[in-house]
Amino acid sequence: MNKIKVMSIFGTRPEAIKMAPVIKELEGHEGIESVVCVTAQHREMLDQVLDLFEIKPDYDLNIMKPGQTLSEITSRVLLGLEEVIKEVKPHMVLVHGDTTTTFAGALAAFYQQVKVGHVEAGLRSGNMYSPYPEEINRILTGRLSHLHFAPTLGNKKNLLSEGISEESIVLTGNTVIDALLQVVKEDYRFEDARLNHIDYRNKKVILLTAHRRENLGGPMINIFSAVKEITEKNTDVEVVFPVHLSPQVRRLAYEILGEVKNVHLIEPLDYAPFANLMAKSYLILTDSGGIQEEAPALGKPVLVLRTETERPEAVEAGTVKIAGIEKERIVALTEELLHHRQTYEGMANAVNPYGDGRASQRTVEAIVKHFGK
Ligand code: UD1
Ligand code: UDP
């Protein structure tokens, strides 16, 4: 083997953000030939990240369809990757996290008997339906992988308890910290004038995101109704909500929050403005996974709009609280953070259980070692 051929496969916004630093590291290693294949399970939201980090995919399956079902994504990814893997013949495929691209990517590699490395391995909520389908995507991807890159010790322990061998697990930290450190700047100016005009000192800016499949419908109605009530009760609050491009999310967001004063519904932000908006906000309400990892590093309290989390480290550290999906509790916990200084200060500590910004480097070193180089 002259060079180790590593093919990274990803398809959605968070995978792209968290794989970008790994790809840069792979590209910079003289013993590695890096190939990038995007499924484009997301289109615009993926392209935003590819542009920012200047990643030019070698293959693009371009599979996204409006309102796509899980079976559609899985089958299109599997069929598309069969051709690409046969052509590229990588020594290892790298997948990230828990999306349907992740699982189908690992399965496609297994069908061609190609080794799989799983970045961000070992997160578990313990509930197969929440996050749905991500919990099962992670477990199945773990079964198909030869190298498991675990962000935290807790993630490593989860893998060990499922019988994964210790030699195949590498404790790396989370690559999201590598990405975050590259884009957050003290003196950041937004391109969107509306974001520059918000009075971050005198207003309490709440950043909201919501997209999880298990929250579509009733839970999301509760969440948006809670946000409406919070802005009606608190005139010093401004909510910024970059609305995910999922048609189901957009319909509910515009129906419930479209006309509400002090709620700004905007398009999904590029990663650099989004990360800097997190850094400038007072509080974050979200059902996102990645944001639960980024916000603690920025010292921003997070109320998680879900019933549990596969990221308990930040809850233990005190910056993240599980708010659930009932309107009254979301309103009550938000009000407490708006009005009780001590509660706020108690959560607003900058802690970072997710790594030191060198996760990508450790990942690539472990791949090289695995192939005996
Ligand atoms: C997907 C992942 C989820 C991840 C999330 C990150 C699965 C099953 N879900 O959920 O784990 O947390 O991405 O955001 O893998 N759309 C666009 N343009 C885009 C992106 C999405 O139009 O750039 C629309 C399309 O109509 C698409 C819909 O959003 O059908 C939903 O996208 P999809 O990838 O199926 O699910 P997400 O909710 O984004
Ligand atoms: N993000 C972004 N623009 C936005 C909203 C989120 O760049 O408008 C980033 C965010 O900082 C995090 C990632 O996207 O890194 C999270 O993506 P998402 O919430 O879609 O997915 P999840 O992490 O829940 O899988």
Side-chain angles (χ1 to χ4, degrees), residues 13-14 17-18 42 45 48-49 98-99 176 209 211-212 242 244 267-272 274-275 278 286-291 294 311:
R13 169 174 65 193
I17 291 170
K18 293 167 165 184
H42 285 175
M45 286 161 58
Q48 285 180 320
V49 186
D98 58 12
T99 72
V176 79
T209 82
H211 73 82
R212 297 239 83 84
H244 191 286
E267 293 305 303
L269 284 168
D270 287 357
Y271 183 55
F274 184 81
M278 275 196 285
T286 189
D287 67 3
S288 161
I291 295 172
E294 293 163 333
R311 295 170 165 92

Side-chain angles (χ1 to χ4, degrees), residues 186-220:
E186 188 83 27
D187 54 353
Y188 188 83
R189 298 282 299 165
F190 298 101
E191 275 174 25
D192 182 340
R194 284 173 304 175
L195 296 177
N196 279 329
H197 285 141
I198 293 176
D199 183 355
Y200 296 94
R201 272 180 206 281
N202 297 308
K203 294 277 185 178
K204 289 181 174 151
V205 175
I206 298 181
L207 178 57
L208 168 68
T209 82
H211 73 82
R212 297 239 83 84
R213 265 183 162 75
E214 69 273 14
N215 278 347
L216 295 173
M220 217 167 267

Side-chain angles (χ1 to χ4, degrees), residues 11-15 41-47 64-70 73 98-102 132-134 137 211-213 216 244-249 288-289:
T12 68
R13 169 174 65 193
E15 293 164 76
Q41 174 179 335
H42 285 175
R43 187 70 275 172
E44 302 88 324
M45 286 161 58
L46 171 74
D47 293 342
M64 196 191 81
K65 295 260 159 49
Q68 58 206 356
T69 66
L70 298 176
I73 306 171
D98 58 12
T99 72
T100 294
T101 287
T102 314
Y132 167 83
E134 290 84 359
N137 283 344
H211 73 82
R212 297 239 83 84
R213 265 183 162 75
L216 295 173
H244 191 286
L245 292 179
S246 161
Q248 288 151 292
V249 176
S288 161

Side-chain angles (χ1 to χ4, degrees), residues 1 3-6 89-93 114-116 371:
M1 185 192 300
K3 286 193 176 199
I4 311 162
K5 202 188 255 194
V6 180
K89 298 188 182 62
H91 298 107
M92 174 168 269
V93 150
V114 170
K115 286 184 170 180
V116 177
F371 286 97

Side-chain angles (χ1 to χ4, degrees), residues 120-178:
E120 204 188 73
L123 283 68
R124 299 286 184 268
S125 71
N127 178 350
M128 72 190 289
Y129 289 108
S130 180
Y132 167 83
E134 290 84 359
E135 174 78 356
I136 288 297
N137 283 344
R138 257 181 221 282
I139 292 171
L140 298 177
T141 304
R143 286 297 291 122
L144 296 165
S145 296
H146 298 74
L147 271 182
H148 310 259
F149 304 103
T152 70
L153 193 57
N155 303 147
K156 179 175 174 179
K157 285 182 182 160
N158 289 339
L159 292 167
L160 290 172
S161 75
E162 289 173 14
I164 307 262
S165 72
E166 180 148 22
E167 313 82 73
S168 67
I169 306 172
V170 189
L171 191 58
T172 53
N174 197 310
T175 61
V176 79
I177 301 297
D178 310 17

